[in-house]
Amino acid sequence: MTSSFTLLFCLRIPPIVRSAFDRTRQNLFGDKFVPWKFHPRNSQFEPSLDSQTFIHHVYVQQNHTETYNASRPLVGDINESYTLSITEDGAVKITADSSTGVLHALETFTQLFYQHSQSASGIYTPYAPVTIQDAPKFPYRGLNLDVARNWYPKSDILRTIDALAWNKFNRLHLHVTDSQSWPLEIPALPGLVEKGAYRKDLFYSTADIRHIQDYGVGRGVEVIVEIDMPGHTASIAFSDPDLIAGFNVQPDWSTYGNEPPTGQLKLNSPAVYAFLEKLWNDLLPRLSPYSAYFHTGGDEINLQTYLLDPTVKSNLTSVIQPLLQKFVDFNHNKLRANGLTPIVWEEMLLEWNLTLGSDVIVQTWLSDDSVAQTVAKGHKALVGNYNLWYLDCGQGQWIDFYPASTEKYYPFADYCSPTKNWRLIYSYDPLSGIPANATHLVLGGEVHMWSEQTDGANLDEMVWPRASAAGEVLWSGAKDATGQNRSQVEASPRLSELRERMLQRGVRGRPVQPIFCTQNGTQCAQ
């Protein structure tokens, strides 16, 4: 291929596609990926430089002009399918219904090419002629990244969006606030970051969030913000202590929360509703141009905390449930007024039995049965069983133990050990146990990166390429065309090669296997 090849578009080239084509050219000739790890040692696997066929044009046909808001699509709005063909004489054609489909096709196109070790600017593909017809199994394919428990510079988030796009994910869920810190700037409530961020300069400004969301739009990745509530809100107490019940109870914090510091929004307080009014009026109009969704949380609400709430003074579900219903209704109505669709954690539906709008997406995490229960109630569900798709598991406890407690907690495994290796992640079937007449309610899912022991220094190796395995499940489904579980033996070299490509682009994921295995086919299989 010559580096001067051009893009031919049958209609006016959308700006998203033009930018994607520029990135495609940069990646094709900038990756410098020589695939020596995937051929027997010291073998001659590259084509001769004497006989060459060049690609001069990439012809793109987008069949439809987008009538939806491409910056903030609802699940199912976009046809992400594409067809990519490369003929033996070097003609390349991409056909898709949407600009997002074109983006996926261009990414696949780059992954067909390798750097020739004997040519500084020469790249080649061993796969032509080829025709690829591709479409996702699930319309929602996401990563949940917790940026509240530890700090991530904006550059880490942007790099993660790039990697998500390479893996054909289409959602980044930012769990942006939690009990430990509030790093999200709200100009109408300046004290939240001034006192709730870990350091005065460690926050995401309104311009940062706009940049992150716009960056995602350009790569086909919708960025969805979560403010988890009424639990996981203790950081509000650093600026507004009167809004939080049971803040930072010590030393008996485990009675009032899963993690320190404890604290939840008071559930029957006029001051809390005034706070929420200011919060939503400031934040939601800024997010809605870039996303169709907002996540209001709702997990791990601690009943005992409401004994410490002077507006409730009870730990009885019968007392708390109607107050929680009023709280959620208020928040979700504010979202809808700003054109946003709510997402909640499963407890809102399955533990608290709240009445939720038919538009609400329920994010499950506790079990496969949670998915089945959710769709049985007629609600749309996201999967992400913590026993399979939680990337933080297996790192050990991050809580310190006094000498008197060490024997009880030895060997200090965390709550979701062991580590979820890529093979386990790959084995997960999002439709397991779902009747055929309800599979349409399973929109997809998210793989989760909670950050108690992760920050920018180890983010890449914690997420990649394990998340790539989830990405393939969400794109292709857990079953092959014959209905059998997909083969790890076939997936392993794909995953290893994708990891090498990501390394070349600056994402430092961990290796899948020793080089001996990648060089010798199935000799590491049994």
Side-chain angles (χ1 to χ4, degrees):
M1 177 185 286
T2 171
S3 60
S4 61
F5 76 102
T6 58
L7 175 68
L8 299 178
F9 204 79
C10 62
L11 301 170
R12 182 181 64 85
I13 302 176
I16 287 176
V17 172
R18 186 178 297 278
S19 297
F21 186 74
D22 291 341
R23 292 194 301 274
T24 297
R25 189 198 306 275
Q26 178 181 339
N27 290 335
L28 280 168
F29 296 97
D31 283 357
K32 307 297 183 184
F33 172 41
V34 178
W36 62 270
K37 290 184 180 180
F38 301 92
H39 299 275
R41 66 184 72 195
N42 301 320
S43 63
Q44 176 50 258
F45 58 85
E46 295 175 312
S48 169
L49 293 174
D50 295 334
S51 178
Q52 303 176 49
T53 300
F54 290 99
I55 294 172
H56 296 285
H57 307 290
V58 174
Y59 179 78
V60 176
Q61 177 178 318
Q62 185 174 322
N63 292 330
H64 299 289
T65 301
E66 277 130 8
T67 56
Y68 54 87
N69 188 336
S71 297
R72 50 186 310 277
L74 287 166
V75 171
D77 272 358
I78 297 179
N79 180 349
E80 298 180 77
S81 66
Y82 66 89
T83 299
L84 165 65
S85 64
I86 306 176
T87 65
E88 198 164 3
D89 60 358
V92 179
K93 183 177 181 181
I94 290 169
T95 304
D97 277 358
S98 67
S99 58
T100 304
V102 175
L103 264 59
H104 294 324
L106 289 171
E107 183 53 46
T108 296
F109 182 62
T110 66
Q111 294 178 18
L112 297 175
F113 286 83
Y114 304 94
Q115 173 70 40
H116 199 294
S117 64
Q118 303 303 309
S119 173
S121 61
I123 62 172
Y124 69 94
T125 179
Y127 303 115
V130 64
T131 297
I132 298 169
Q133 292 181 311
D134 206 5
K137 173 74 173 178
F138 295 99
Y140 189 115
R141 306 177 304 280
L143 167 72
N144 170 27
L145 178 60
D146 165 19
V147 296
R149 289 185 173 92
N150 271 312
W151 167 253
Y152 292 87
K154 182 175 68 171
S155 58
D156 291 332
I157 298 172
L158 300 181
R159 185 176 70 255
T160 299
I161 290 173
D162 282 326
L164 288 169
W166 304 334
N167 285 270
K168 297 186 175 68
F169 284 89
N170 62 0
R171 301 295 192 289
L172 172 62
H173 164 187
L174 283 182
H175 182 89
V176 77
T177 64
D178 211 292
S179 289
Q180 291 81 4
S181 81
W182 185 291
L184 178 66
E185 183 184 35
I186 306 294
L189 298 162
L192 287 172
V193 293
E194 290 173 1
K195 297 182 179 179
Y198 282 129
R199 203 174 68 192
K200 288 185 182 295
D201 58 330
L202 297 185
F203 67 91
Y204 304 109
S205 69
T206 59
D208 289 334
I209 294 298
R210 184 169 61 251
H211 182 198
I212 289 167
Q213 289 194 294
D214 187 58
Y215 194 87
V217 167
R219 287 151 181 80
V221 178
E222 183 177 355
V223 177
I224 298 170
V225 171
E226 177 190 1
I227 296 182
D228 200 352
M229 58 176 63
H232 293 272
T233 50
S235 58
I236 295 172
F238 292 111
S239 59
D240 298 275
D242 292 341
L243 303 181
I244 298 296
F247 176 62
N248 200 21
V249 175
Q250 293 287 347
D252 187 25
W253 58 263
S254 60
T255 298
Y256 298 98
N258 287 22
E259 298 178 357
T262 61
Q264 297 176 172
L265 280 170
K266 293 177 180 177
L267 209 49
N268 197 24
S269 164
V272 167
Y273 281 95
F275 166 85
L276 292 172
E277 185 82 25
K278 275 190 177 181
L279 174 67
W280 300 140
N281 288 346
D282 183 308
L283 178 62
L284 299 182
R286 291 190 280 107
L287 300 182
S288 59
Y290 301 96
S291 179
Y293 297 96
F294 187 91
H295 201 310
T296 57
D299 63 320
E300 298 180 330
I301 297 173
N302 184 282
L303 287 170
Q304 304 310 311
T305 297
Y306 288 115
L307 288 170
L308 307 179
D309 180 349
T311 73
V312 179
K313 296 181 181 179
S314 176
N315 63 355
L316 297 177
T317 300
S318 60
V319 173
I320 296 170
Q321 198 268 359
L323 296 174
L324 188 59
Q325 181 75 63
K326 175 186 174 185
F327 180 87
V328 170
D329 286 346
F330 175 85
N331 291 331
H332 286 188
N333 286 336
K334 295 297 282 188
L335 264 59
R336 294 184 184 105
N338 283 273
L340 291 161
T341 297
I343 304 175
V344 298
W345 291 108
E346 66 172 73
E347 289 95 322
M348 294 287 90
L349 179 70
L350 303 181
E351 181 179 336
W352 290 97
N353 197 30
L354 297 189
T355 299
L356 300 174
S358 60
D359 58 335
V360 176
I361 296 175
V362 177
Q363 181 156 31
T364 66
W365 66 281
L366 287 169
S367 68
D368 289 350
D369 188 54
S370 297
V371 187
Q373 289 183 54
T374 297
V375 299
K377 290 176 177 285
H379 281 282
K380 293 168 283 191
L382 299 177
V383 307
N385 189 327
Y386 81 99
N387 290 300
L388 296 134
W389 277 14
Y390 268 31
L391 301 177
D392 58 306
C393 300
Q395 305 306 302
Q397 285 278 4
W398 55 272
I399 296 294
D400 296 325
F401 298 101
Y402 291 105
S405 302
T406 55
E407 184 175 351
K408 176 181 178 181
Y409 292 100
Y410 184 86
F412 314 113
D414 55 58
Y415 79 101
C416 57
S417 286
T419 301
K420 314 310 176 192
N421 61 69
W422 80 263
R423 290 172 178 82
L424 181 66
I425 291 169
Y426 195 67
S427 71
Y428 183 36
D429 183 358
L431 298 179
S432 176
I434 305 301
N437 64 354
T439 56
H440 67 285
L441 293 172
V442 180
L443 302 182
E446 291 183 350
V447 62
H448 298 265
M449 186 66 255
W450 300 108
S451 293
E452 285 88 347
Q453 297 181 88
T454 300
D455 62 14
N458 65 336
L459 172 63
D460 290 354
E461 68 177 72
M462 288 294 292
V463 174
W464 308 107
R466 290 188 295 157
S468 303
E472 183 167 312
V473 169
L474 290 169
W475 181 272
S476 300
K479 309 290 186 183
D480 64 20
T482 67
Q484 301 300 308
N485 291 336
R486 293 191 181 276
S487 167
Q488 295 178 16
V489 176
E490 295 175 3
S492 180
R494 286 199 301 274
L495 199 63
S496 292
E497 181 173 311
L498 184 56
R499 181 258 181 178
E500 295 297 318
R501 290 186 183 275
M502 290 196 290
L503 278 178
Q504 295 300 113
R505 299 180 189 181
V507 174
R508 303 187 64 80
R510 62 180 66 177
V512 174
Q513 289 184 312
I515 297 172
F516 173 84
C517 300
T518 61
Q519 286 189 325
N520 290 283
T522 59
Q523 292 184 25
C524 293
Q526 64 177 22

